[in-house]
Amino acid sequence: MRHHILPAGLPTHKYEVDPWRLVEIEFDPEGASVDETLFAIGNGYLGMRANPSEGRESYSHGTYLNGFHETWEIRHAEDAYGFAKTGQTIVNVPDSKLMKLYVDDEPFLLSTADISDFRRELDFSTGISSRDLIWRTPAGKSIRVRTERMVSFEHRHLAVMTIEVTLLDEPAPVVISSQMLNRQDGQDEYHVRIAALGEGMDPRQARKFDRRVLTPRLQRHGRDADSSVILGFQCASSAMTLACGYQHLVDTACDYTASTEIMPDLAKTVFTIDGQPGQTIRITKLVSYHTSTGVPCEELADRCERTLGRARTHGVHAIKESQRLWLDEYWARSDIQVTGSATDQQAIRWNLFQLAQATARTQEQGVAAKGVTGGGYDGHYFWDTEVYVVPFLAATNPEIARKLLRFRWKMLPAARNRARELNQSGALFPWRTINGEEASAYYAAGTAQYHINAAVAYALERYMLATGDSEFLATEGAEILVETARLWCDLGFHATENLNGLSRDVFRIHGVTGPDEYTTVVNDNLYTNVMARFNLRYAASTVAHLREHQPQAYAALVRRTGLIDTDEGSEVTNWIRAADAMYLPYSPSLGIYPQEDSFLDRERWDFDNTPADKYPLLLHYHPLVIYRHQVLKQADVVLAMYLRGDQFEIAEKRRNFDYYDPLTTGDSSLSACVQSIVAAQIGYRDLAWSYFRQALYLDLNNTHGNTDQGVHIASAAGVWACVVHGFAGLEDTGHHLRFAPQLPEQWQSARFGIHHRGSQLQVELLPDGARVSVLAGLPTQIESSDGLVTVSEGEHLWIPRPEL
Amino acid sequence: MRHHILPAGLPTHKYEVDPWRLVEIEFDPEGASVDETLFAIGNGYLGMRANPSEGRESYSHGTYLNGFHETWEIRHAEDAYGFAKTGQTIVNVPDSKLMKLYVDDEPFLLSTADISDFRRELDFSTGISSRDLIWRTPAGKSIRVRTERMVSFEHRHLAVMTIEVTLLDEPAPVVISSQMLNRQDGQDEYHVRIAALGEGMDPRQARKFDRRVLTPRLQRHGRDADSSVILGFQCASSAMTLACGYQHLVDTACDYTASTEIMPDLAKTVFTIDGQPGQTIRITKLVSYHTSTGVPCEELADRCERTLGRARTHGVHAIKESQRLWLDEYWARSDIQVTGSATDQQAIRWNLFQLAQATARTQEQGVAAKGVTGGGYDGHYFWDTEVYVVPFLAATNPEIARKLLRFRWKMLPAARNRARELNQSGALFPWRTINGEEASAYYAAGTAQYHINAAVAYALERYMLATGDSEFLATEGAEILVETARLWCDLGFHATENLNGLSRDVFRIHGVTGPDEYTTVVNDNLYTNVMARFNLRYAASTVAHLREHQPQAYAALVRRTGLIDTDEGSEVTNWIRAADAMYLPYSPSLGIYPQEDSFLDRERWDFDNTPADKYPLLLHYHPLVIYRHQVLKQADVVLAMYLRGDQFEIAEKRRNFDYYDPLTTGDSSLSACVQSIVAAQIGYRDLAWSYFRQALYLDLNNTHGNTDQGVHIASAAGVWACVVHGFAGLEDTGHHLRFAPQLPEQWQSARFGIHHRGSQLQVELLPDGARVSVLAGLPTQIESSDGLVTVSEGEHLWIPRPEL
């Protein structure tokens, strides 16, 4: 039953082990493209790839602002009705990371410099990325160069970067050229080379534009060298506006002069310093970005100035303090502490830190597949935010989860239009989007994934279970549920199934694609039907609850949605009828659920004759070849068994896992974590551990080969779920919590906190069970071997490891 | 059981009824775009739309040379492995139709001129298109203007056009400006307007280029006004070359001068004539086009000169004579004569004439979906040549059928490569192509139509039945069969089916699209499996026959194809095993074959709530909406029952027809004729007649709304099949012929000839049966109520109308 491509062991990564830092002690030109991602910093709004401040050598000089995108006309080689029309691509905004250094007029460039004592760190507790090294110049002088960079978690629009130069032996003229450069429309040779190599065949890469994207609209700077410098741009097609500016703080005992030049695509402040040995030259650059869908650049420039002014007033020390404070709180809510493997501890924290960087300041934007660490997948939002990221947030940072749900709620008008375009009632959320419109140009693996509707309902449920925020449910939540349920009810149809002489009413959903994209446009996808059933029931019970208990909210809901809910005819009754009749394909002989109605009729993929270099299959086989076989990109039935765990018996989960796991390539980064969770739940310890490690080191080991495009955010959230829902076996029944602790034998303990209906719980996994404590808040009901136990603040409950 | 959208009656078209001509006696600006197609002339190589020689008002000024195409890079909005890379689009070659007329320096323009006695004709017996009218000029003078145009059936590269101007009352200066204009790269305002309206959403339209296609390479003309003038071009991307030239013959008693101007995109000879009343001015323009995949333009220009020189030597009279002679022979072989409806007779001949125009001089090119009458479908070759056109040709003009089969044979190397790209053995013919490479950008309704392989085998069978050309079968034919059978055998797979406690081996073919494009990428498409079975068996029996009877040809085949056919292992045995186990989905309760394995699980399309203006569905619903329903674009199971008629009982055919016909929209022009044939075969007289008329008047009434894009050639061939295989019920069992005559009651008789194994037969349908005569050739075995009867030359057999 072993997975056919499960690697025997994972390669050990090159980084120094440190529980709170990612550390690199040797400059690695070969790994630079991946390191740019792994050391990237961001706050969910503003993200900067870890390009060196000297510029030049880079895989991709990236600075991204969540939601700031350019649009372009999709040209289908063969068009058809309802195909997505407008492409959306996140823009690489002007690069403010540049602080070039010259000593004796010789440029410092990492690739050619004679360096020693190199050390690069990304610190998860301070939120600061830094690099330290000693440069022996061509003239033989020794220079210590230290750079620091942070994107503020506290101040959404602010980044701070510092360069410190110390001449260690001899004096020398030092020049620091601090720039802000529009790279989106400029040349980036290395990038071009990569694009040519890639030939654009990898659909996961970001789109390249062959025209100007950012139209310069504004250049502003004051008279003094330390006054703020601001550039303004507008996207040629989307018309979104942007202002970005910087201001410097200089701290040195050396004499210096400074001058600023400003051009449409480049602002540059050059410091010419009379460098003296032992006198550290420290230049701090405050940077601000503001964006809008249409506010004039002048107004955005004013906002930049205010952000910069406030930062100067606060001072760098205070900004760093607020950063640490924010992270202290984040880790208090979100940390997973393990003992037994410092490497795993580091990797877990790296993943959790990525979740902070991807979500902290999204405000009411979504979370892109790569967060703000790269342009992969064009910066689009997908369903994985709802299924992978929101559950983590709901249990640790519910306010952010709420914002993400409001983001979907605000998308409802566009989703209603899209449903209409696809001939359906209700609302259909776009498979991939930034601005709310469907941007998926390949509908079979895009628009056909109707299950995104249920993903939004699922995220809402996770948020409600964690918070009990009934006000949100009564308003935005209920509206989402009504419109998504409507779509399911209209999309499917009632039919009569005849089985063994008996006929029964079944509700079928045809022509959809499930999470597994290695079969598309199928009938009765198990995952979709299970999730649609949940969605329908959740909508029905929510409406019924409002009708009975919150008549005002109910009336408002009916008004907003035109819900028909009378004795003569009730949409709600139809939802219940559809849910109760929901058809789930089932094979009595195998005791498993076919992934879709005809899945078991397909030929099994010939894994034995598929060499390792043919994975991921999507890059090496025509979709038709993949689609006609039993082969999975990612967990599908197994994912349903995780998300709706109470709908399946454990023996059933085992049978299905046994069947599907050997067919699952894991070509999708969304797969390994789900395989680990369900393996843990059914007692497959070794597999659970192995898949967990695949998820844990997915980016750190670049196992999917595209970490250079950005961090796999959903997988990072999946790592958290592996521990909480896999190893701890946490389930929330809606009435109480249930645990099935099984600490991996490779660890001595693991500890994490969760937020549950206003209470703060701590779970400590130990080899023979788990200690669950209520640290603060209301008493919590927890299932134990003695039945339900109410655990109050300050108490704890011991749950022994179950036999599986 | 009536079809839900079967029109009650067909609109009567506007043309004068004439058994041998299409005639228009009033200029109809509204209908001009369709008339350009209906009156177009061509010979299968060179085609000219019926644009007025004055130029200007035109929907599309089109001149096409079969196979002369430009390539372009397909840019998929989301690319994937194996997607077609190179688009191919037929080029609108320089327009030589222009012979502009000025009297008193006033231009003659149909749209503004004061005209009378208008008459336009396309003569099916002379192959000449002509227009006659009297123009009252702005100055009040009366002028008779007569133009004639022909594309030679005898001389592949030659067209001849004449303008005759006669001043009826007063003298006047007359200017005739005869031109050759590269419109492909010029402005064509009307065309641009249409393109903007269409927004490119209709996938049936030709692609518009937004760059220069034809690079001027050569301009050549002699010193005299009547010497030849030649332009040469090369396609910017495909590098195909073209030369086109003209030469004039002037016949008038009036004084005149002439001068020629030549520019890269335009050659122009202007005749300035001192027009005298009653003195006819006749200017004849000989035109020649030569194309190549790479021969230099200079060489092609030489060929043009030779064609023009020979035409001048022969003289116009002889050219017209040879045209009539060619057509006499064509009609002797191909005509269908009906009595009882002159309108139907005219329409039948118009369709048969289109078949001549589309196929006569294809040589070893294919037949595009629109022949050479328009740019629709980009000038691509599809499967309909093999399934619709070749059977007609095999029975009437077998030499052309042979050429078309050789065209596919020459495509084998590309088809082998394409199979490899799709992970299969053997060869896979491209779904749509000009140059042999797959050009279908939407694979679900393109590449996935693997059934094109069987269509080629089917065409071969039709050709073999008609000719018994065993030499062709032993060489090109066998090679095609081996490679297509190989693909089927590799594409499908053996599985075990358990039914009612019994298990049996079945051969299944998954992930394919059948002829009906309203469901795509399905499993076990009945049509595909039936045709693949035939293909496998035909290949197996052919190889077995060669092995036994033609050892040399067999050895050559093994050498060419690497066929494994030994006692240790035999591909042939595998083909037979696959064919014998071929799985055909079947519903015992309905007694029908589901179109594909899950077809009956789908929801039925809601025809009642689909307004008429929502057809064709493909232009008004997203593919996902269409795909998930029981709704057909075109006959699919019903087509299988026609093409492999002997595999189905008549009661079975009825049940299936009854089931599918109400689900068939006929949104494809390939459908009506097939529905008519099978309706006739199962005794549904009224339906057979109704669908026949839909096919017969499909273009003449522009019922599909896109006749402006060109003639629907396959449907024209389907009209022939309706009479021969539908009303006459002809079947060729391979051993003998069988008829089931049932003359429509609207006719008194119908007569046609067929070529059968070197014999010429004539079939005369009468109300109570058919008289089948062997006009020439060997004795022929024909099934009658008394068993098999051998009919010898000069004899006939009476076959009474069967009871159905």
Side-chain angles (χ1 to χ4, degrees), chain B residues 654-668:
Chain B
R654 269 199 205 108
R655 283 197 304 272
N656 281 279
F657 187 92
D658 290 352
Y659 189 83
Y660 288 106
D661 207 54
L663 298 174
T664 307
T665 58
D667 284 352
S668 162

Side-chain angles (χ1 to χ4, degrees), chain A residues 158-278:
Chain A
L158 181 69
V160 180
M161 42 201 84
T162 304
I163 184 167
E164 284 178 10
V165 179
T166 312
L167 308 188
L168 297 181
D169 38 30
E170 295 176 61
V174 173
V175 171
I176 292 170
S177 173
S178 176
Q179 308 185 357
M180 181 169 266
L181 169 64
N182 172 15
R183 291 186 184 275
Q184 175 72 47
D185 301 301
Q187 288 301 317
D188 194 334
E189 282 172 38
Y190 191 73
H191 202 153
V192 167
R193 188 177 68 80
I194 296 286
L197 283 174
E199 278 290 339
M201 217 286 292
D202 185 344
R204 304 169 303 185
Q205 285 186 9
R207 182 183 177 82
K208 317 287 186 297
F209 285 92
D210 53 4
R211 59 164 168 90
R212 179 170 264 277
V213 170
L214 293 171
T215 310
R217 288 272 186 251
L218 173 149
Q219 298 89 38
R220 185 194 287 184
H221 81 113
R223 279 181 210 172
D224 305 325
D226 62 351
S227 65
S228 63
V229 176
I230 299 176
L231 296 175
F233 296 90
Q234 185 163 32
C235 289
S237 170
S238 75
M240 288 191 82
T241 47
L242 159 73
C244 46
Y246 65 75
Q247 190 161 14
H248 291 100
L249 307 173
V250 184
D251 177 10
T252 181
C254 303
D255 291 342
Y256 75 96
T257 59
S259 70
T260 295
E261 248 188 295
I262 189 161
M263 288 168 283
D265 283 325
L266 174 65
K268 183 155 76 168
T269 299
V270 179
F271 298 90
T272 308
I273 306 144
D274 183 12
Q276 297 301 325

Side-chain angles (χ1 to χ4, degrees), chain A residues 72-84 199-203 207 210 418 421-424 432 439-445 447-450 490-495 508-512 520-521 523-524 596-598 601-605 614 617-625 627-629, chain B residues 72-84 199-203 207 210 418 421-424 432 439-445 447-450 490-495 508-512 520-521 523-524 596-598 601-605 614 617-625 627-629:
Chain A
W72 43 279
E73 187 196 352
I74 297 177
R75 288 173 191 261
H76 298 276
E78 287 178 40
D79 201 359
Y81 180 88
F83 277 14
E199 278 290 339
M201 217 286 292
D202 185 344
R207 182 183 177 82
D210 53 4
R418 182 61 177 160
E421 217 172 355
L422 283 161
N423 216 41
Q424 307 299 346
R432 52 189 299 174
S440 169
Y442 179 46
Y443 75 84
T447 301
Q449 300 203 41
Y450 289 84
D490 186 48
L491 180 68
F493 65 103
H494 286 272
R508 315 190 67 158
I509 301 175
H510 280 188
V512 303
T520 62
V521 195
N523 296 339
D524 296 309
E596 37 86 16
D597 210 22
S598 63
D601 291 340
R602 298 179 195 265
E603 192 178 13
R604 287 174 74 97
W605 186 266
K614 290 284 194 180
L617 301 182
L618 67 98
L619 297 187
H620 301 94
Y621 295 91
H622 192 286
L624 280 169
V625 178
Y627 293 173
R628 71 166 64 92
H629 288 94
Chain B
W72 44 278
E73 186 195 352
I74 297 177
R75 287 175 191 260
H76 297 277
E78 286 178 40
D79 202 359
Y81 181 86
F83 277 11
E199 279 289 340
M201 217 287 290
D202 185 343
R207 183 183 177 81
D210 53 5
R418 182 62 177 158
E421 218 174 353
L422 283 161
N423 216 41
Q424 307 298 345
R432 52 189 300 173
S440 169
Y442 178 46
Y443 75 84
T447 302
Q449 299 202 42
Y450 289 83
D490 186 47
L491 180 69
F493 63 104
H494 286 272
R508 315 191 65 158
I509 300 175
H510 281 188
V512 303
T520 63
V521 195
N523 296 339
D524 296 308
E596 37 86 16
D597 211 21
S598 64
D601 292 341
R602 296 178 198 266
E603 191 177 14
R604 287 174 76 96
W605 186 266
K614 291 284 194 179
L617 301 182
L618 67 97
L619 297 187
H620 300 95
Y621 295 91
H622 192 285
L624 280 169
V625 177
Y627 293 174
R628 72 167 64 91
H629 288 95

Side-chain angles (χ1 to χ4, degrees), chain A residues 324-338:
Chain A
R324 179 182 278 279
L325 207 66
W326 193 96
L327 280 167
D328 283 351
E329 284 177 24
Y330 178 79
W331 288 116
R333 290 188 308 267
S334 321
D335 195 18
I336 296 175
Q337 293 155 275
V338 301

Side-chain angles (χ1 to χ4, degrees), chain A residues 310-354:
Chain A
R310 203 158 38 238
R312 212 155 67 147
T313 308
H314 291 169
V316 173
H317 181 73
I319 293 168
K320 285 187 180 176
E321 265 310 296
S322 73
Q323 181 87 333
R324 179 182 278 279
L325 207 66
W326 193 96
L327 280 167
D328 283 351
E329 284 177 24
Y330 178 79
W331 288 116
R333 290 188 308 267
S334 321
D335 195 18
I336 296 175
Q337 293 155 275
V338 301
T339 56
S341 167
T343 315
D344 291 349
Q345 175 68 75
Q346 177 187 42
I348 288 171
R349 289 233 176 84
W350 181 86
N351 279 283
L352 295 175
F353 186 68
Q354 295 310 317

Side-chain angles (χ1 to χ4, degrees), chain B residues 211-323:
Chain B
R211 59 165 170 87
R212 180 171 265 277
V213 170
L214 294 171
T215 310
R217 287 273 185 252
L218 171 148
Q219 298 88 39
R220 185 195 288 184
H221 78 114
R223 280 185 210 168
D224 305 325
D226 62 351
S227 65
S228 63
V229 176
I230 298 176
L231 296 175
F233 297 90
Q234 186 163 31
C235 289
S237 169
S238 74
M240 290 191 82
T241 46
L242 159 73
C244 46
Y246 64 76
Q247 190 161 16
H248 290 99
L249 309 173
V250 183
D251 177 10
T252 180
C254 304
D255 291 343
Y256 74 95
T257 61
S259 70
T260 294
E261 251 187 292
I262 192 161
M263 289 168 284
D265 284 326
L266 173 65
K268 183 155 77 171
T269 300
V270 178
F271 299 90
T272 308
I273 306 143
D274 183 12
Q276 297 301 325
Q279 298 287 1
T280 295
I281 304 155
R282 179 184 300 112
I283 298 182
T284 298
K285 185 182 194 177
L286 305 171
V287 172
S288 178
Y289 291 85
H290 282 266
T291 49
S292 162
T293 52
V295 166
C297 287
E298 286 290 345
E299 159 71 16
L300 297 181
D302 292 349
R303 294 184 196 173
C304 281
E305 287 195 355
R306 288 197 291 272
T307 300
L308 295 172
R310 203 159 37 239
R312 213 155 66 144
T313 308
H314 290 169
V316 172
H317 181 74
I319 293 169
K320 284 186 181 178
E321 266 307 298
S322 73
Q323 181 86 335

